[in-house]
Amino acid sequence: MKIAPSVLTADFSNLKKELKSIENADYLHLDIMDGHFVPNISFGPAIAKEIEKNTELLLDVHLMVTDPFNWVEKFVFPKTKFITIHTEANKVSETISLIKKHQIGVGLSIKPATPVRDLLPYIKDAALVLVMTVEPGFGGQSFIMSSLDKVKDLVIIRKEMKLDFVIEVDGGINLETIALCRDAGVDIAVAGSYLFNQKDRIQGILSLR
Ligand code: DX5
Ligand code: ZN
């Protein structure tokens, strides 16, 4: 299992130190919110750029915004590995083309209430599919168990369509829920509050992995 810490619950007044504390992770997950797609605001491109300068990790950018087309290019950094948009957002096809134009992996995400079939029109373009395992907007929520069925369906779809996207989950990940995710076929788990509440995050990442 690959681990992508979400800096949402990190101590932003100590960013350098916080980033160092998770340096053995696989990716760094950046949760970008616009206060419209989700009822919260996180941080924007300027802070993301500072984060990028202070980590060796590749970035997994999660855009929880209504108009991702207008934001994608502001998150194209040398270390950007994936940019994930939601199928519930505007101009999905156009935004996918824009991400591909920058040779960045396209991520597609669905909220808990959105069915897997809504991914199908775009799934051939996906390098990553992100199944939200909480309602997006806030860290520290409980894992929604029914999301595991979506993961299992995606494993089947990937095989049947001979695709190679990775499956990621985001929200409510801890030692118990990550084991269920592994059994369902998840490749990457985003970990926010569970990890940042650990004293020794290096060990926390090893345990989750
Ligand atoms: C929710 C965010 C998640 C969240 C995960 O909108 O996308 O990345 O920060 O945090 P935890 O692990 O605390 O649920
Ligand atoms: Zn996220």
Side-chain angles (χ1 to χ4, degrees):
M1 179 74 76
K2 291 200 158 88
I3 308 298
S6 163
V7 290
L8 207 55
T9 30
D11 174 3
F12 274 74
S13 65
N14 254 317
L15 208 45
K16 264 193 185 165
K17 213 173 137 209
E18 293 285 82
L19 291 171
K20 182 104 185 108
S21 77
I22 49 151
E23 66 183 356
N24 61 331
D26 298 282
Y27 300 108
L28 189 62
H29 186 83
L30 302 188
D31 283 308
I32 310 302
M33 306 177 188
D34 66 352
H36 185 261
F37 187 78
V38 291
N40 197 7
I41 292 178
S42 55
F43 53 87
I47 302 273
K49 180 79 213 153
E50 285 307 308
I51 291 173
E52 199 247 4
K53 278 197 279 182
N54 286 284
T55 183
E56 302 285 313
L57 299 173
L58 295 178
L59 305 183
D60 169 31
V61 179
H62 178 195
L63 297 180
M64 286 168 275
V65 303
T66 301
D67 290 300
F69 189 86
N70 300 344
W71 292 101
V72 158
E73 290 185 314
K74 299 186 196 311
F75 294 93
V76 174
F77 308 124
K79 294 190 191 101
T80 307
K81 169 86 176 168
F82 303 109
I83 296 185
T84 296
I85 61 166
H86 275 258
T87 62
E88 305 91 352
N90 293 333
K91 293 193 193 167
V92 173
S93 300
E94 293 93 324
T95 312
I96 289 173
S97 304
L98 184 59
I99 297 170
K100 285 170 93 173
K101 192 181 109 190
H102 290 283
Q103 281 151 357
I104 286 172
V106 172
L108 294 175
S109 184
I110 47 173
K111 290 182 178 184
T114 305
V116 165
R117 65 169 179 275
D118 285 18
L119 290 160
L120 297 180
Y122 322 104
I123 205 157
K124 286 200 174 99
D125 287 314
L128 176 153
V129 173
L130 169 55
V131 175
M132 287 308 301
T133 43
V134 297
E135 207 52 63
F138 300 91
Q141 305 179 76
S142 305
F143 185 88
I144 298 171
M145 289 293 166
S146 57
S147 324
L148 292 170
D149 290 332
K150 292 184 180 179
V151 171
K152 291 177 195 159
D153 288 347
L154 283 163
V155 170
I156 294 168
I157 290 168
R158 180 171 62 189
K159 191 164 181 232
E160 281 179 353
M161 296 180 72
K162 297 190 171 62
L163 299 174
D164 60 0
F165 56 82
V166 289
I167 303 172
E168 182 176 55
V169 286
D170 185 1
I173 294 299
N174 56 38
L175 281 185
E176 286 85 54
T177 56
I178 203 167
L180 303 173
C181 291
R182 174 203 54 206
D183 293 347
V186 169
D187 304 296
I188 308 175
V190 175
S193 50
Y194 172 79
L195 193 57
F196 281 93
N197 287 334
Q198 305 283 318
K199 242 201 160 97
D200 184 347
R201 284 124 184 212
I202 300 285
Q203 189 51 50
I205 288 168
L206 293 176
S207 314
L208 286 170
R209 198 183 269 147

mmCIF file of all heavy atoms in Angstrom, residues 1-18:
data_model
loop_
_atom_site.group_PDB
_atom_site.id
_atom_site.type_symbol
_atom_site.label_atom_id
_atom_site.label_comp_id
_atom_site.label_asym_id
_atom_site.label_seq_id
_atom_site.Cartn_x
_atom_site.Cartn_y
_atom_site.Cartn_z
ATOM 1 N N MET A 1 0.850 -1.209 0.000
ATOM 2 C CA MET A 1 0.000 0.000 0.000
ATOM 3 C C MET A 1 0.881 1.254 0.000
ATOM 4 O O MET A 1 1.781 1.389 0.818
ATOM 5 C CB MET A 1 -0.861 -0.017 1.258
ATOM 6 C CG MET A 1 -1.757 1.174 1.411
ATOM 7 S SD MET A 1 -3.170 1.174 0.303
ATOM 8 C CE MET A 1 -4.237 -0.027 1.096
ATOM 9 N N LYS A 2 0.567 2.170 -0.910
ATOM 10 C CA LYS A 2 1.298 3.440 -0.912
ATOM 11 C C LYS A 2 0.547 4.442 -0.016
ATOM 12 O O LYS A 2 -0.678 4.409 0.051
ATOM 13 C CB LYS A 2 1.425 3.969 -2.336
ATOM 14 C CG LYS A 2 2.343 3.116 -3.197
ATOM 15 C CD LYS A 2 2.824 3.895 -4.411
ATOM 16 C CE LYS A 2 4.092 3.316 -4.985
ATOM 17 N NZ LYS A 2 3.872 2.267 -5.967
ATOM 18 N N ILE A 3 1.305 5.304 0.643
ATOM 19 C CA ILE A 3 0.717 6.253 1.595
ATOM 20 C C ILE A 3 0.962 7.685 1.131
ATOM 21 O O ILE A 3 2.100 8.071 0.848
ATOM 22 C CB ILE A 3 1.312 6.065 3.014
ATOM 23 C CG1 ILE A 3 1.224 4.599 3.473
ATOM 24 C CG2 ILE A 3 0.641 7.008 4.019
ATOM 25 C CD1 ILE A 3 -0.179 4.044 3.595
ATOM 26 N N ALA A 4 -0.136 8.439 1.071
ATOM 27 C CA ALA A 4 -0.069 9.850 0.679
ATOM 28 C C ALA A 4 -0.620 10.707 1.812
ATOM 29 O O ALA A 4 -1.838 10.869 1.934
ATOM 30 C CB ALA A 4 -0.870 10.064 -0.606
ATOM 31 N N PRO A 5 0.245 11.255 2.662
ATOM 32 C CA PRO A 5 -0.253 12.101 3.748
ATOM 33 C C PRO A 5 -0.927 13.364 3.195
ATOM 34 O O PRO A 5 -0.453 13.940 2.209
ATOM 35 C CB PRO A 5 1.015 12.474 4.521
ATOM 36 C CG PRO A 5 2.027 11.437 4.138
ATOM 37 C CD PRO A 5 1.695 11.062 2.724
ATOM 38 N N SER A 6 -2.043 13.744 3.826
ATOM 39 C CA SER A 6 -2.702 15.001 3.478
ATOM 40 C C SER A 6 -2.260 16.052 4.485
ATOM 41 O O SER A 6 -2.418 15.860 5.691
ATOM 42 C CB SER A 6 -4.221 14.853 3.553
ATOM 43 O OG SER A 6 -4.808 16.145 3.599
ATOM 44 N N VAL A 7 -1.734 17.156 3.985
ATOM 45 C CA VAL A 7 -1.206 18.187 4.892
ATOM 46 C C VAL A 7 -2.308 19.030 5.540
ATOM 47 O O VAL A 7 -2.018 19.906 6.341
ATOM 48 C CB VAL A 7 -0.193 19.138 4.189
ATOM 49 C CG1 VAL A 7 1.085 18.407 3.873
ATOM 50 C CG2 VAL A 7 -0.785 19.763 2.948
ATOM 51 N N LEU A 8 -3.570 18.707 5.199
ATOM 52 C CA LEU A 8 -4.688 19.508 5.712
ATOM 53 C C LEU A 8 -4.648 19.680 7.230
ATOM 54 O O LEU A 8 -4.958 20.745 7.747
ATOM 55 C CB LEU A 8 -5.996 18.811 5.306
ATOM 56 C CG LEU A 8 -7.237 19.652 5.142
ATOM 57 C CD1 LEU A 8 -7.012 20.789 4.167
ATOM 58 C CD2 LEU A 8 -8.387 18.776 4.657
ATOM 59 N N THR A 9 -4.272 18.610 7.927
ATOM 60 C CA THR A 9 -4.265 18.685 9.387
ATOM 61 C C THR A 9 -2.869 18.922 9.958
ATOM 62 O O THR A 9 -2.653 18.762 11.154
ATOM 63 C CB THR A 9 -4.882 17.401 10.006
ATOM 64 O OG1 THR A 9 -4.643 16.309 9.125
ATOM 65 C CG2 THR A 9 -6.372 17.540 10.210
ATOM 66 N N ALA A 10 -1.923 19.319 9.104
ATOM 67 C CA ALA A 10 -0.568 19.620 9.585
ATOM 68 C C ALA A 10 -0.563 20.986 10.283
ATOM 69 O O ALA A 10 -1.511 21.757 10.158
ATOM 70 C CB ALA A 10 0.402 19.630 8.413
ATOM 71 N N ASP A 11 0.505 21.244 11.000
ATOM 72 C CA ASP A 11 0.677 22.543 11.658
ATOM 73 C C ASP A 11 1.336 23.480 10.638
ATOM 74 O O ASP A 11 2.530 23.395 10.375
ATOM 75 C CB ASP A 11 1.553 22.350 12.905
ATOM 76 C CG ASP A 11 1.906 23.663 13.564
ATOM 77 O OD1 ASP A 11 1.440 24.729 13.096
ATOM 78 O OD2 ASP A 11 2.660 23.625 14.556
ATOM 79 N N PHE A 12 0.537 24.389 10.091
ATOM 80 C CA PHE A 12 1.037 25.240 9.005
ATOM 81 C C PHE A 12 2.041 26.290 9.469
ATOM 82 O O PHE A 12 2.740 26.877 8.662
ATOM 83 C CB PHE A 12 -0.133 25.896 8.245
ATOM 84 C CG PHE A 12 -0.669 25.016 7.159
ATOM 85 C CD1 PHE A 12 -1.447 23.908 7.467
ATOM 86 C CD2 PHE A 12 -0.372 25.254 5.824
ATOM 87 C CE1 PHE A 12 -1.926 23.065 6.465
ATOM 88 C CE2 PHE A 12 -0.837 24.420 4.821
ATOM 89 C CZ PHE A 12 -1.623 23.331 5.133
ATOM 90 N N SER A 13 2.131 26.503 10.767
ATOM 91 C CA SER A 13 3.135 27.454 11.247
ATOM 92 C C SER A 13 4.505 26.783 11.347
ATOM 93 O O SER A 13 5.509 27.429 11.619
ATOM 94 C CB SER A 13 2.717 28.013 12.611
ATOM 95 O OG SER A 13 2.721 26.981 13.563
ATOM 96 N N ASN A 14 4.506 25.467 11.101
ATOM 97 C CA ASN A 14 5.741 24.686 11.204
ATOM 98 C C ASN A 14 5.916 23.790 9.980
ATOM 99 O O ASN A 14 6.356 22.647 10.096
ATOM 100 C CB ASN A 14 5.631 23.753 12.420
ATOM 101 C CG ASN A 14 6.496 24.247 13.543
ATOM 102 O OD1 ASN A 14 7.625 24.653 13.313
ATOM 103 N ND2 ASN A 14 5.955 24.201 14.747
ATOM 104 N N LEU A 15 5.557 24.334 8.844
ATOM 105 C CA LEU A 15 5.427 23.515 7.646
ATOM 106 C C LEU A 15 6.673 22.699 7.299
ATOM 107 O O LEU A 15 6.592 21.509 7.010
ATOM 108 C CB LEU A 15 5.039 24.425 6.475
ATOM 109 C CG LEU A 15 4.242 23.791 5.358
ATOM 110 C CD1 LEU A 15 3.117 22.909 5.885
ATOM 111 C CD2 LEU A 15 3.667 24.879 4.468
ATOM 112 N N LYS A 16 7.834 23.349 7.389
ATOM 113 C CA LYS A 16 9.083 22.655 7.033
ATOM 114 C C LYS A 16 9.271 21.406 7.881
ATOM 115 O O LYS A 16 9.577 20.330 7.383
ATOM 116 C CB LYS A 16 10.280 23.588 7.245
ATOM 117 C CG LYS A 16 10.695 24.285 5.990
ATOM 118 C CD LYS A 16 12.043 24.954 6.129
ATOM 119 C CE LYS A 16 12.283 25.710 4.838
ATOM 120 N NZ LYS A 16 13.342 26.675 4.897
ATOM 121 N N LYS A 17 9.071 21.591 9.184
ATOM 122 C CA LYS A 17 9.229 20.486 10.126
ATOM 123 C C LYS A 17 8.167 19.407 9.883
ATOM 124 O O LYS A 17 8.458 18.207 9.930
ATOM 125 C CB LYS A 17 9.087 21.041 11.558
ATOM 126 C CG LYS A 17 9.940 20.321 12.564
ATOM 127 C CD LYS A 17 9.895 21.018 13.916
ATOM 128 C CE LYS A 17 9.766 19.980 14.995
ATOM 129 N NZ LYS A 17 9.071 20.461 16.188
ATOM 130 N N GLU A 18 6.948 19.842 9.625
ATOM 131 C CA GLU A 18 5.863 18.893 9.363
ATOM 132 C C GLU A 18 6.167 18.064 8.115
ATOM 133 O O GLU A 18 5.938 16.855 8.093
ATOM 134 C CB GLU A 18 4.537 19.643 9.171
ATOM 135 C CG GLU A 18 4.030 20.341 10.421
ATOM 136 C CD GLU A 18 3.451 19.375 11.432
ATOM 137 O OE1 GLU A 18 4.262 18.787 12.181
ATOM 138 O OE2 GLU A 18 2.217 19.221 11.483
#
